[in-house]
Amino acid sequence: MERDSLALTPEEMRALGYRAVDLLVERVDPRAEPPIRRAAPSELARLLSKPPPEDAGGPEALERLFRDVLPYVARVDHPRYFAFIPCSGTWPGALGDLVASALDVYAATWLEGAGPTQLELTVLDWFKDWVGFPPEADGQLTSGGSQANLQALACARELRVGAMRDDLALYVPDQAHSSVARAARVLGFRPDQVRVLPTDRELRLRPETLAAAVDADLARGLTPLVAVASAGATNTGAVDPLSELAEVARERGLWLHVDAAYGGFAALTERGRRALAGIELADSLTIDPHKWLYQSFECGALLVREPDGLRRAFEIVPPYLGDTVVGEGEVNLGDRGIQLSRTSRAFKVWLSIQTLGLAAFREAIDRSLDLAEHAARRVEASDGLELMAPVVLGIVCFRRRFAAAEDEDETARLNAQLAADLAASGIGLVSSTTLRGRFALRLCPLNHSTTREDVDAVLDFLETAEPATDAPPLLRRGRVDDVRDAWLVSAPEEGDARAEPGDLMALELFADVPPKNLERLARLATVRDAAAGALLVRQWDAARELSVVLEGEVEVERDGDVLERAGPGEFFGEIAALDWGHGYGYARTATVTAATPVRLLVLPEGTLETAMRLAPGLAKAVERAVAARLPG
Ligand SMILES: *Cc1c(COP(=O)(O)O)cnc(C)c1O
């Protein structure tokens, strides 16, 4: 008899399945463990880096997964995991995933998955209803917010203009999620086609800012394509003024994409709906069930207002899929995005909401909002802590005041140490961020099992603990610059001369640079002369170079107001020259003209971060200037 070498008997399936359930239920309550456990790569390689066995290992492999792999994770579902965006699923949701994968459910075509397709359409209809989208809007469940953002931008371009063009421009608030920049990069938007726009003191994109940037591009004959807005920015939870931005976009013919990946499901509560007012005006909307709808990874969603919009943007039917063509009322969800073979992510959403009831989800979201407000009140009432941003949607940014800290760097170092100490203590976990150049701890109580005592325990620690000096580096803060280096460094402008080490040596900014580095720096830079009155850069331009005045004076103006004059040793362009993400940067936030004949040392696009590595004095000065000069 022929043998299926991969099959188990029903008895074996049951035995292994029951064992898996037992092991899972034991682990589902994470309170027994610390929120994070790091491991050395060498330790894990020793445990796990082995060739595949030729012979069957049997049930022992399952035990090993629980013994050798699962202990080494951050419990993102831990009630005291307040870092990044926590995720806490539900048991019925997990079973939805199990069913979908055990039965290899295929949710790409109606032919092969009519039931799962209808279930996904139903779930999407719920989402549309919750955020106020019209029932005829298009939609798809995705792997997450990143895929949804990518598909939204691709869909906007396909429906509005078709293939990529040089004249298209994209507008992104500086608080937008990095996946928007990654999407732009994947779609081939060049750095000069993406305008990162400064947000205001509350980290919201002002409608006037968007309007001014778009109008400047229209005046130049460019085609403004998409404006992105945040409805719950990952940094602070800030919600951009969506109704006003929608109006600016509508008047100028732009597509408005609203990224509500983490914040969107707050619409299930009254407070959330108020905070998200205007979300229903988006042309497309990203909303992640695997964040605030308590679904396990992976589950994101994209809604597109235009009926059939996603299909028109993505549908391709090759000969070998000709049998799957749909009839009246049927839908091929695999034609609504970039993924063909796809499982049903609707199973978990549907099963968890059917089993537990929507009221339970509303209640959990409401409780998260309560906890964030409670934390905010505690921070405000504390002498030792200060709030760093308004608390809108379940994220609290704050930090400890250290009276002895001399400057921002010292405050940041001590607070980062506190966060690391907290992680090492096993009491809880927060992450950190930078807001307009100022360090902030970030507490995000989105877990449905978190209690007020959990929040208090973490705040107690952060309010009172003395930063250690020797805590293990459970949290390491830093940035990776490699991505920036991958972008083309633009060629020097015509007429520029090569810089010499002597040009730099005269400047205070480079006083601490060793001669070897000075030569490398000089090779990056050029020298440019301009006549009095020359326009050096215009507000909203995409120019990404940093200029240091060597001789003469320049005049800096913003929105028509003269801000200052800058002379020898001073610089401009640092905001736009710094990488915001994936090679994109801010649009110029000021117009600069030569007040006298000037000579400038120019660090061309793509060189500033290398220059900052070579010249610590320059790095400090640039960081300080960015924090001080960001408009808002
Ligand atoms: C998390 C997040 C994303 C990215 O979503 P993934 O599901 O991680 O791909 C995008 N935008 C916002 C606002 C987010 O919070």
Side-chain angles (χ1 to χ4, degrees):
M1 204 178 92
E2 282 184 70
R3 184 175 84 95
D4 176 351
S5 57
L6 294 177
L8 299 184
T9 66
E11 293 69 38
E12 288 169 327
M13 284 167 67
R14 287 204 177 87
L16 199 56
Y18 294 153
R19 180 66 187 139
V21 167
D22 285 341
L23 287 166
L24 281 173
V25 172
E26 269 169 41
R27 263 186 70 91
V28 156
D29 176 13
R31 276 193 195 268
E33 299 173 52
I36 186 170
R37 179 158 165 198
R38 270 183 107 117
S42 57
E43 185 187 349
L44 287 184
R46 192 172 45 71
L47 273 174
L48 302 172
S49 183
K50 302 194 170 134
E54 204 54 45
D55 299 323
E60 166 60 13
L62 182 68
E63 308 290 333
R64 280 192 54 206
L65 200 56
F66 278 81
R67 193 180 62 229
D68 295 345
V69 180
L70 284 167
Y72 304 102
V73 293
R75 294 297 305 254
V76 297
D77 57 345
H78 194 288
R80 291 187 186 178
Y81 179 100
F82 297 122
F84 315 109
I85 306 280
C87 299
S88 57
T90 64
W91 186 243
L95 295 181
D97 262 355
L98 175 64
V99 173
S101 75
L103 297 178
D104 249 331
V105 167
Y106 190 77
T109 63
W110 187 269
L111 177 77
E112 294 154 289
T117 300
Q118 182 54 55
L119 202 71
E120 183 162 337
L121 295 175
T122 299
V123 163
L124 289 165
D125 282 343
W126 296 349
F127 295 176
K128 291 179 215 167
D129 182 43
W130 299 344
V131 298
F133 254 50
E136 64 277 12
D138 210 349
Q140 196 201 35
L141 296 182
T142 62
S143 61
S146 302
Q147 187 192 342
N149 283 339
L150 173 69
Q151 291 186 182
L153 298 191
C155 180
R157 197 199 60 202
E158 284 302 309
L159 298 192
R160 290 287 166 91
V161 300
M164 192 62 175
R165 291 196 327 226
D166 282 353
D167 63 326
L168 304 179
L170 186 63
Y171 305 83
V172 180
D174 61 11
Q175 296 301 305
H177 191 267
S178 59
S179 58
V180 174
R182 187 178 284 159
R185 192 175 203 211
V186 170
L187 293 171
F189 283 91
R190 295 186 318 262
D192 62 294
Q193 292 180 281
V194 175
R195 315 267 177 276
V196 177
L197 302 177
T199 50
D200 64 13
R201 302 251 151 218
E202 302 200 332
L203 302 154
R204 293 154 35 107
L205 175 61
R206 285 210 189 120
E208 311 85 272
T209 304
L210 176 64
V214 171
D215 290 344
D217 282 341
L218 285 169
R220 257 173 262 176
L222 299 177
T223 306
L225 182 67
V226 178
V228 176
S230 311
T234 318
N235 230 356
T236 65
V239 181
D240 291 330
L242 302 173
S243 305
E244 291 90 331
L245 290 172
E247 170 128 5
V248 169
R250 194 178 45 74
E251 285 168 358
R252 291 162 179 80
L254 269 86
W255 178 289
L256 178 68
H257 175 64
V258 172
D259 183 358
Y262 107 81
F265 287 106
L268 279 169
T269 68
E270 225 167 88
R271 255 178 301 180
R273 240 189 329 274
R274 270 199 307 278
L276 294 167
I279 195 171
E280 71 283 357
L281 301 172
D283 291 296
S284 53
L285 179 76
T286 288
I287 184 164
D288 267 6
H290 70 203
K291 285 182 171 167
W292 218 348
L293 197 64
Y294 309 105
Q295 302 300 323
S296 57
F297 302 120
E298 303 164 351
C299 194
L302 172 62
L303 301 178
V304 169
R305 167 175 303 280
E306 199 150 317
D308 222 21
L310 283 170
R311 185 190 61 76
R312 284 194 286 128
F314 291 104
E315 184 181 53
I316 296 179
V317 186
Y320 42 83
L321 292 181
D323 301 322
T324 68
V325 164
V326 290
E328 182 62 28
E330 300 173 352
V331 169
N332 284 343
L333 285 167
D335 278 335
R336 290 186 177 187
I338 57 177
Q339 193 181 4
L340 179 58
S341 297
R342 60 197 291 279
T343 186
S344 175
R345 300 186 174 102
F347 277 25
K348 56 185 160 194
V349 179
W350 185 85
L351 201 57
S352 58
I353 292 176
Q354 292 290 338
T355 307
L356 300 165
L358 191 56
F361 285 82
R362 273 186 225 287
E363 190 184 310
I365 296 168
D366 240 334
R367 204 143 28 84
S368 294
L369 290 167
D370 285 343
L371 290 174
E373 282 178 17
H374 166 69
R377 275 195 304 272
R378 260 203 68 169
V379 169
E380 280 175 321
S382 158
D383 290 336
L385 301 173
E386 64 178 316
L387 208 54
M388 300 296 287
V391 175
V392 197
L393 273 186
I395 295 176
V396 188
C397 288
F398 65 104
R399 67 181 182 185
R400 179 86 159 266
R401 295 180 216 267
F402 287 101
E406 296 206 334
D407 58 8
E408 177 58 35
D409 284 353
E410 182 67 357
T411 304
R413 192 187 64 72
L414 291 168
N415 272 282
Q417 185 63 53
L418 262 189
D421 295 348
L422 175 69
S425 75
I427 292 173
L429 190 75
V430 297
S431 55
S432 64
T433 188
T434 307
L435 305 174
R436 300 181 70 91
R438 300 175 77 209
F439 184 92
L441 299 170
R442 197 177 151 288
L443 179 140
C444 183
L446 294 200
N447 185 312
H448 58 75
S449 67
T450 299
T451 64
R452 191 180 274 231
E453 289 72 53
D454 292 320
V455 171
D456 282 336
V458 163
L459 286 180
D460 287 344
F461 183 97
L462 295 172
E463 195 174 10
T464 56
E466 276 315 306
T469 47
D470 56 350
L474 266 167
L475 289 180
R476 284 187 288 262
R477 209 181 147 72
R479 50 179 285 146
V480 178
D481 294 319
D482 309 7
V483 176
R484 190 64 193 87
D485 291 343
W487 281 87
L488 283 179
V489 172
S490 49
E493 293 240 330
E494 195 137 353
D496 282 5
R498 294 215 21 201
E500 302 294 335
D503 296 319
L504 284 73
M505 236 177 317
L507 296 166
E508 182 66 31
L509 282 174
F510 301 105
D512 58 354
V513 181
K516 179 170 62 76
N517 284 358
L518 216 50
E519 251 173 59
R520 288 181 60 196
L521 272 168
R523 258 180 275 134
L524 293 175
T526 62
V527 172
R528 181 178 303 164
D529 290 304
L535 176 67
L536 300 171
V537 66
R538 248 182 331 189
Q539 191 174 1
W540 309 120
D541 271 357
R544 302 282 312 279
E545 62 203 17
L546 175 103
S547 307
V548 187
V549 180
L550 293 173
E551 293 167 21
E553 268 197 348
V554 300
E555 188 169 88
V556 182
E557 66 178 70
R558 175 177 296 156
D559 306 326
D561 301 328
V562 175
L563 294 183
E564 59 179 333
R565 281 196 166 208
E570 297 180 279
F571 54 85
F572 58 92
E574 71 290 338
I575 293 175
L578 271 181
D579 183 50
W580 174 79
H582 298 286
Y584 301 115
Y586 281 94
R588 294 307 276 253
T589 55
T591 296
V592 183
T593 45
T596 66
V598 290
R599 166 162 287 193
L600 305 171
L601 179 83
V602 178
L603 282 166
E605 168 168 11
T607 61
L608 178 58
E609 282 170 38
T610 308
M612 285 167 66
R613 279 200 292 275
L614 295 171
L618 174 71
K620 268 242 130 27
V622 164
E623 276 164 19
R624 244 184 258 130
V626 168
R629 293 180 185 170
L630 253 184

